[in-house]
Amino acid sequence: MSVAGKSLAAAAVGLAAGAFVVVRRAKAHPSGTAAGDRWLTVTINRAPQDVQADKLPAPLHEYGDRVETRVRPAPGDRGTELAVRLRQAAPDVAYSAPARLAGVDPRQDLRRALRDAKALLEAGEVLQPDTPPTTHDTPGGKLVGLLSRRADGEGVL
């Protein structure tokens, strides 16, 4: 097989793998569950009696009645599970991949508020990365900056 043939075969395998992942992810989400109906949950390293739904830290408290809150002991006696979700779900297009990439998914701000609330409950402060992380503008530094900005929206890459 020639080099061009090997490249085409590798591209075809990659395309097939990508299609398999897309189909599998589509089947993983039940059809009756909208993305906005899902709970966003964190485990907090505090006793359940230390976390009260009516006395949450400022990032979540600012949401007021726009969110539902659930507090319960975490499995395995590992602290407290704090879950939130928006009371009014946005249209499904607001939760799409392009919306997430554009930073307009309403869950991104809620996820950030939940993550900040976890930090405040556990450590008393929200740690921020150093800015600027480097003074040398290298390709690697640009990649790290891009990934850091992307992770800031949801806490994940």
Side-chain angles (χ1 to χ4, degrees), residues 95-117:
Y95 305 113
S96 65
R100 292 176 67 185
L101 291 174
V104 295
D105 185 340
R107 293 176 300 170
Q108 289 174 319
D109 286 335
L110 183 58
R111 194 171 284 132
R112 182 181 303 123
L114 183 62
R115 192 176 62 237
D116 289 352

CSV table of all heavy atoms in Angstrom, one decimal, residues 95-117:
chain,number,residue,atom,x,y,z
A,95,TYR,N,-28.0,24.6,25.1
A,95,TYR,CA,-27.1,23.6,25.7
A,95,TYR,C,-26.3,22.8,24.6
A,95,TYR,O,-25.7,21.9,24.9
A,95,TYR,CB,-28.0,22.6,26.5
A,95,TYR,CG,-28.8,23.2,27.5
A,95,TYR,CD1,-30.2,23.2,27.4
A,95,TYR,CD2,-28.3,23.9,28.6
A,95,TYR,CE1,-31.0,23.8,28.4
A,95,TYR,CE2,-29.0,24.5,29.5
A,95,TYR,CZ,-30.4,24.4,29.4
A,95,TYR,OH,-31.2,25.0,30.4
A,96,SER,N,-26.4,23.3,23.4
A,96,SER,CA,-25.7,22.6,22.3
A,96,SER,C,-24.2,22.8,22.4
A,96,SER,O,-23.7,23.7,23.1
A,96,SER,CB,-26.2,23.1,20.9
A,96,SER,OG,-25.9,24.4,20.8
A,97,ALA,N,-23.4,22.0,21.7
A,97,ALA,CA,-22.0,22.2,21.7
A,97,ALA,C,-21.5,23.5,21.2
A,97,ALA,O,-20.6,24.1,21.8
A,97,ALA,CB,-21.3,21.0,20.8
A,98,PRO,N,-22.1,24.1,20.1
A,98,PRO,CA,-21.7,25.4,19.7
A,98,PRO,C,-22.0,26.5,20.8
A,98,PRO,O,-21.2,27.4,21.0
A,98,PRO,CB,-22.5,25.7,18.4
A,98,PRO,CG,-22.9,24.4,17.9
A,98,PRO,CD,-23.0,23.5,19.1
A,99,ALA,N,-23.1,26.3,21.5
A,99,ALA,CA,-23.4,27.3,22.6
A,99,ALA,C,-22.4,27.2,23.7
A,99,ALA,O,-21.9,28.2,24.3
A,99,ALA,CB,-24.8,27.0,23.1
A,100,ARG,N,-21.9,25.9,24.0
A,100,ARG,CA,-20.9,25.7,25.0
A,100,ARG,C,-19.6,26.3,24.6
A,100,ARG,O,-18.9,27.0,25.4
A,100,ARG,CB,-20.8,24.2,25.3
A,100,ARG,CG,-22.0,23.7,26.0
A,100,ARG,CD,-21.9,22.2,26.2
A,100,ARG,NE,-20.8,22.0,27.1
A,100,ARG,CZ,-20.4,20.7,27.5
A,100,ARG,NH1,-21.0,19.7,26.9
A,100,ARG,NH2,-19.5,20.6,28.3
A,101,LEU,N,-19.2,26.2,23.3
A,101,LEU,CA,-18.0,26.7,22.8
A,101,LEU,C,-18.0,28.2,22.8
A,101,LEU,O,-17.0,28.9,23.0
A,101,LEU,CB,-17.7,26.2,21.4
A,101,LEU,CG,-17.3,24.7,21.4
A,101,LEU,CD1,-17.1,24.2,19.9
A,101,LEU,CD2,-16.0,24.4,22.2
A,102,ALA,N,-19.2,28.8,22.5
A,102,ALA,CA,-19.3,30.3,22.5
A,102,ALA,C,-19.5,30.8,23.9
A,102,ALA,O,-19.4,32.0,24.1
A,102,ALA,CB,-20.5,30.6,21.7
A,103,GLY,N,-19.6,30.0,24.9
A,103,GLY,CA,-19.7,30.5,26.3
A,103,GLY,C,-21.1,31.0,26.6
A,103,GLY,O,-21.2,31.8,27.6
A,104,VAL,N,-22.2,30.6,25.9
A,104,VAL,CA,-23.5,31.1,26.2
A,104,VAL,C,-24.4,30.0,26.8
A,104,VAL,O,-25.6,30.3,27.0
A,104,VAL,CB,-24.1,31.7,25.0
A,104,VAL,CG1,-23.4,32.9,24.5
A,104,VAL,CG2,-24.2,30.7,23.8
A,105,ASP,N,-23.9,28.9,27.1
A,105,ASP,CA,-24.7,27.8,27.8
A,105,ASP,C,-25.0,28.3,29.2
A,105,ASP,O,-24.0,28.6,30.0
A,105,ASP,CB,-23.9,26.5,27.8
A,105,ASP,CG,-24.6,25.4,28.4
A,105,ASP,OD1,-25.6,25.6,29.1
A,105,ASP,OD2,-24.2,24.2,28.1
A,106,PRO,N,-26.2,28.4,29.6
A,106,PRO,CA,-26.6,28.9,30.9
A,106,PRO,C,-26.0,28.1,32.1
A,106,PRO,O,-25.9,28.5,33.2
A,106,PRO,CB,-28.1,29.0,31.0
A,106,PRO,CG,-28.5,28.1,29.9
A,106,PRO,CD,-27.4,28.0,28.9
A,107,ARG,N,-25.7,26.8,31.8
A,107,ARG,CA,-25.2,25.9,32.9
A,107,ARG,C,-23.7,26.3,33.2
A,107,ARG,O,-23.2,26.0,34.3
A,107,ARG,CB,-25.2,24.5,32.4
A,107,ARG,CG,-26.7,24.0,32.3
A,107,ARG,CD,-26.7,22.6,31.8
A,107,ARG,NE,-26.1,22.6,30.5
A,107,ARG,CZ,-25.8,21.5,29.9
A,107,ARG,NH1,-26.0,20.3,30.4
A,107,ARG,NH2,-25.2,21.6,28.7
A,108,GLN,N,-23.0,27.0,32.3
A,108,GLN,CA,-21.6,27.3,32.5
A,108,GLN,C,-21.4,28.2,33.7
A,108,GLN,O,-20.6,28.0,34.6
A,108,GLN,CB,-20.9,27.9,31.3
A,108,GLN,CG,-20.8,26.9,30.2
A,108,GLN,CD,-20.3,27.5,28.9
A,108,GLN,OE1,-20.7,28.6,28.5
A,108,GLN,NE2,-19.4,26.8,28.2
A,109,ASP,N,-22.3,29.2,33.8
A,109,ASP,CA,-22.2,30.2,34.9
A,109,ASP,C,-22.6,29.5,36.2
A,109,ASP,O,-22.0,29.7,37.3
A,109,ASP,CB,-23.1,31.4,34.7
A,109,ASP,CG,-22.5,32.3,33.7
A,109,ASP,OD1,-21.2,32.3,33.5
A,109,ASP,OD2,-23.2,33.1,33.0
A,110,LEU,N,-23.6,28.6,36.1
A,110,LEU,CA,-24.1,27.9,37.3
A,110,LEU,C,-23.0,26.9,37.8
A,110,LEU,O,-22.8,26.8,39.0
A,110,LEU,CB,-25.4,27.2,37.0
A,110,LEU,CG,-26.0,26.4,38.2
A,110,LEU,CD1,-26.3,27.4,39.4
A,110,LEU,CD2,-27.3,25.7,37.8
A,111,ARG,N,-22.4,26.3,36.8
A,111,ARG,CA,-21.3,25.3,37.2
A,111,ARG,C,-20.1,26.1,37.8
A,111,ARG,O,-19.6,25.6,38.8
A,111,ARG,CB,-20.8,24.6,35.9
A,111,ARG,CG,-19.9,23.4,36.2
A,111,ARG,CD,-19.7,22.6,34.9
A,111,ARG,NE,-20.9,21.8,34.6
A,111,ARG,CZ,-21.4,21.7,33.4
A,111,ARG,NH1,-20.9,22.4,32.4
A,111,ARG,NH2,-22.5,21.0,33.2
A,112,ARG,N,-19.8,27.2,37.3
A,112,ARG,CA,-18.7,28.0,37.9
A,112,ARG,C,-19.1,28.5,39.4
A,112,ARG,O,-18.3,28.4,40.3
A,112,ARG,CB,-18.4,29.3,37.1
A,112,ARG,CG,-17.3,30.1,37.7
A,112,ARG,CD,-17.0,31.4,36.8
A,112,ARG,NE,-16.7,31.0,35.5
A,112,ARG,CZ,-17.3,31.5,34.4
A,112,ARG,NH1,-18.3,32.3,34.6
A,112,ARG,NH2,-17.0,31.1,33.2
A,113,ALA,N,-20.4,28.9,39.5
A,113,ALA,CA,-20.9,29.3,40.8
A,113,ALA,C,-20.8,28.1,41.8
A,113,ALA,O,-20.5,28.3,43.0
A,113,ALA,CB,-22.3,29.9,40.7
A,114,LEU,N,-21.2,26.9,41.3
A,114,LEU,CA,-21.2,25.7,42.2
A,114,LEU,C,-19.7,25.4,42.6
A,114,LEU,O,-19.4,25.1,43.7
A,114,LEU,CB,-21.8,24.6,41.4
A,114,LEU,CG,-21.9,23.3,42.2
A,114,LEU,CD1,-22.8,23.4,43.4
A,114,LEU,CD2,-22.5,22.2,41.3
A,115,ARG,N,-18.8,25.5,41.6
A,115,ARG,CA,-17.4,25.2,41.9
A,115,ARG,C,-16.8,26.2,42.9
A,115,ARG,O,-16.1,25.9,43.8
A,115,ARG,CB,-16.6,25.2,40.6
A,115,ARG,CG,-15.2,24.7,40.7
A,115,ARG,CD,-14.5,24.6,39.4
A,115,ARG,NE,-14.3,25.9,38.8
A,115,ARG,CZ,-14.8,26.2,37.6
A,115,ARG,NH1,-15.4,25.4,36.9
A,115,ARG,NH2,-14.6,27.5,37.1
A,116,ASP,N,-17.2,27.5,42.7
A,116,ASP,CA,-16.7,28.6,43.7
A,116,ASP,C,-17.3,28.4,45.1
A,116,ASP,O,-16.7,28.6,46.1
A,116,ASP,CB,-17.1,30.0,43.2
A,116,ASP,CG,-16.3,30.3,41.9
A,116,ASP,OD1,-15.3,29.6,41.6
A,116,ASP,OD2,-16.6,31.4,41.3
A,117,ALA,N,-18.6,27.9,45.1
A,117,ALA,CA,-19.2,27.7,46.4
A,117,ALA,C,-18.6,26.5,47.1
A,117,ALA,O,-18.3,26.6,48.3
A,117,ALA,CB,-20.7,27.4,46.2
